[in-house]
Amino acid sequence: MAVRYEALSVLSFLCLVMCASAIGVNWGIQASHLLPPSTVVQMLKDNGIQKVKLFEADDGILEALKKSSIQVMVGIPNELLNGLAGSEKTAENWVSKNVSKYVNDGVDVRYVAVGNEPFLQTYNGSYLNITYPALQNVQAALIKAGLGNQVKVTIPLNADVYASASGKPSDGDFRSDIHGLMVQIVSFLNDNNAPFTVNIYPFISLYNDPNFPLDYAFFQGSASPVVDGSITYTNVLDANHDTLLSALRKNGFSNLSIIVGEIGWPTDGDMNANIQYARQFNQGLVNHVSSGTPLRSGPLDAYLFSLIDEDLKSILPGNFERHWGVFYYDGTPKYQLSLSGTNTSASLVGAKGVKYLDRKWCVLKPSVGLDNQNIAASVSYACANADCSSLGYKTSCGDLDAKGNISYAFNSYYQKNDQDQRACDFNNLATVTTENPSNSSSSCRFNIMIEENLATSLRSIRYSWGWVAFIPVLMIFL
């Protein structure tokens, strides 16, 4: 019996090490048509993905994760923070409904993410006074539910909560306007053996600064490294991570564990958002996380952003926001990617049993001239209420001509509205065709929408006739 016990202990230890080092994924649901949760869970299993981060406690998803052996981080949206901060009872009810219930039914919940990047400067301090009290109340509720040792609290924070005045990681410290609050939060996490979660986006660094050295975003070395004493940083991830680690050390928390909650590269919507760069970055990331960073060796705990494209995400930051997935909206892999990091020729396994709408597309009538006075308003309406983020300079559909751009916009709206005949009219400018408008020589895809997942359809934004506001957009299509 002793020998058998030792063997089981070794296996448990190996599983613990493998699970800790394996890369996870973010599973978002800001999409008009969602794959069934059971389909996505099977896709996670087929690809050996052992950890998933959710942005909210979606019942359908948590049900599908029962007894899947997939580790789960459950998110709490920012809009719930005020209620959780003001009432311990509210926190207890949330934990009971969204954590205890599912843990008891076999969901391996490991973390509760209290808010999502609540200290972004664009929020103008809306969550500064409520995030920490919410964190405390959720932690107290977990302890009261007997889950304090099993489920840990954390706050996914944007990397802008810390900085280095010199640009060197060793000079890292927390942002001056929230320094005291950050030290309180870090101390609380440390006292409760909970991790610091940070979202790091090398792509955003490149997007915001045209002079940013492109090779510094990847993992193959850089012609413009950052030299910090005896350490040379050749990629953004290591430098950013170690700037945080320096901030933690400077404030007395050298040993606090760190989770990279979001990191990835989009595939469309910007000149630097493409399949080639996304594969290069994500494969480099997967290969790199096992080695750690210069200031902390050992595997990084990281979650790819993201699993599947989301066509309802806000594009205020940029059109690329809807294209972070390693899978398209229908669960089709975008590119070859080995999530194990050991077999770089491995391919992702797509979703199985996906059901599509009919093979029909909505396009501009061939007889309509480009001088028609209704075209501009119709395209603006379609794009404002569907997804035209693949149109533009050096995007996947950037090589379309004017009529192709118009047809793409019309089809996007038509598919978003489940191929409703009324969604392919546009003042009699459009018509339905069974001939695929996609050009085999182009990267542009005229999609056919998947069938609505009824289990989660109520959680997605639906479009109805009459109330959708007209929002003008730049007429880059003509």
Side-chain angles (χ1 to χ4, degrees):
M1 289 298 291
V3 173
R4 183 174 181 271
Y5 176 78
E6 286 181 8
L8 288 173
S9 297
V10 171
L11 287 173
S12 298
F13 173 75
L14 289 174
C15 179
L16 180 63
V17 171
M18 290 177 64
C19 290
S21 61
I23 200 159
V25 294
N26 285 265
W27 178 358
I29 56 173
Q30 292 187 59
S32 61
H33 292 68
L34 298 167
L35 290 167
S38 58
T39 299
V40 179
V41 170
Q42 185 59 53
M43 188 167 68
L44 294 171
K45 292 179 177 179
D46 290 343
N47 287 284
I49 298 171
Q50 302 168 345
K51 302 183 297 185
V52 66
K53 178 170 166 279
L54 310 176
F55 292 92
E56 57 186 296
D58 182 271
D59 292 336
I61 291 176
L62 288 169
E63 286 285 340
L65 285 166
K66 287 180 179 178
K67 300 178 181 178
S68 65
S69 299
I70 295 172
Q71 298 175 13
V72 181
M73 180 186 293
V74 180
I76 298 177
N78 289 339
E79 55 265 28
L80 299 184
L81 295 179
N82 190 51
L84 294 168
S87 169
E88 293 182 6
K89 187 64 177 177
T90 298
E92 290 170 7
N93 289 339
W94 189 92
V95 167
S96 175
K97 178 183 177 182
N98 299 297
V99 182
S100 301
K101 171 186 174 182
Y102 291 104
V103 168
N104 293 336
D105 286 343
V107 180
D108 188 7
V109 180
R110 297 294 181 96
Y111 304 103
V112 172
V114 182
N116 186 50
E117 299 185 337
F119 301 152
L120 280 176
Q121 292 176 307
T122 53
Y123 288 143
N124 297 317
S126 299
Y127 305 109
L128 283 182
N129 297 323
I130 58 177
T131 301
Y132 182 37
L135 182 75
Q136 291 174 302
N137 285 345
V138 171
Q139 172 65 32
L142 289 169
I143 292 173
K144 188 171 183 178
L147 297 172
N149 293 325
Q150 179 178 347
V151 182
K152 300 299 180 180
V153 292
T154 188
I155 305 173
L157 294 164
N158 188 276
D160 72 351
V161 299
Y162 54 88
S164 168
S166 68
K168 297 179 179 180
S170 60
D171 289 327
D173 202 354
F174 295 116
R175 211 170 73 207
S176 59
D177 62 311
I178 57 171
H179 190 278
L181 176 59
M182 287 303 303
V183 171
Q184 279 186 301
I185 289 173
V186 168
S187 179
F188 183 82
L189 294 174
N190 186 70
D191 290 344
N192 289 280
N193 196 28
F196 188 110
T197 300
V198 60
N199 300 337
I200 300 175
Y201 282 105
F203 171 82
I204 301 297
S205 298
L206 177 63
Y207 181 76
N208 289 334
D209 181 5
N211 296 316
F212 188 88
L214 177 63
D215 60 356
Y216 192 55
F218 298 97
F219 302 95
Q220 287 79 40
S222 173
S224 304
V226 172
V227 178
D228 189 0
S230 61
I231 299 174
T232 298
Y233 288 93
T234 60
N235 67 81
V236 181
L237 173 58
D238 284 355
N240 197 309
H241 180 279
D242 284 1
T243 302
L244 168 59
L245 193 51
S246 293
L248 292 171
R249 289 180 175 181
K250 192 167 295 181
N251 291 282
F253 302 98
S254 300
N255 297 321
L256 190 67
S257 60
I258 296 173
I259 292 175
V260 179
E262 297 177 22
I263 185 168
W265 200 280
T267 57
D268 208 352
D270 180 73
M271 62 182 295
N272 290 312
N274 55 59
I275 296 290
Q276 176 187 350
Y277 284 170
R279 185 190 181 280
Q280 181 181 350
F281 180 85
N282 285 333
Q283 190 63 70
L285 172 68
V286 172
N287 298 344
H288 185 74
V289 293
S290 62
S291 60
T293 68
L295 292 186
R296 181 173 284 181
S297 59
L300 289 178
D301 193 354
Y303 292 77
L304 266 178
F305 190 87
S306 67
L307 183 63
I308 305 170
D309 282 350
E310 299 172 77
D311 65 347
L312 293 183
K313 288 199 71 181
S314 169
I315 56 172
L316 287 178
N319 286 342
F320 57 83
E321 279 294 334
R322 294 176 177 174
H323 303 279
W324 289 98
V326 296
F327 293 91
Y328 289 108
Y329 70 102
D330 58 354
T332 302
K334 293 182 179 181
Y335 46 83
Q336 190 170 281
L337 181 67
S338 170
L339 290 175
S340 68
T342 56
N343 180 9
T344 55
S345 65
S347 297
L348 295 170
V349 180
K352 297 174 180 175
V354 178
K355 297 181 179 179
Y356 295 84
L357 301 181
D358 295 337
R359 288 185 57 81
K360 297 188 298 184
W361 295 264
C362 179
V363 297
L364 179 71
K365 286 182 177 179
S367 60
V368 175
L370 293 177
D371 58 347
N372 188 292
Q373 62 182 1
N374 293 320
I375 287 179
S378 296
V379 170
S380 289
Y381 183 86
C383 288
N385 298 296
D387 181 23
C388 294
S389 58
S390 292
L391 297 175
Y393 178 66
K394 290 192 176 181
T395 59
S396 66
C397 295
D399 59 351
L400 294 179
D401 60 15
K403 288 191 174 184
N405 281 312
I406 297 166
S407 292
Y408 186 94
F410 287 176
N411 184 64
S412 179
Y413 187 77
Y414 176 64
Q415 302 295 340
K416 186 70 68 71
N417 286 280
D418 301 317
Q419 297 184 353
D420 190 311
Q421 182 65 39
R422 296 168 297 175
C424 188
D425 180 35
F426 295 103
N427 295 306
N428 204 34
L429 298 175
T431 186
V432 174
T433 180
T434 57
E435 183 177 346
N436 191 345
S438 302
N439 188 328
S440 60
S441 63
S442 170
S443 60
C444 186
R445 295 162 41 116
F446 281 70
N447 292 324
I448 296 175
M449 191 52 67
I450 60 176
E451 290 186 5
E452 182 77 66
N453 169 32
L454 297 179
T456 54
S457 62
L458 294 178
R459 303 192 64 84
S460 64
I461 298 174
R462 304 301 300 131
Y463 296 84
S464 61
W465 298 92
W467 64 267
V468 180
F470 169 79
I471 306 174
V473 296
L474 292 175
M475 291 305 299
I476 61 173
F477 315 107
L478 303 180

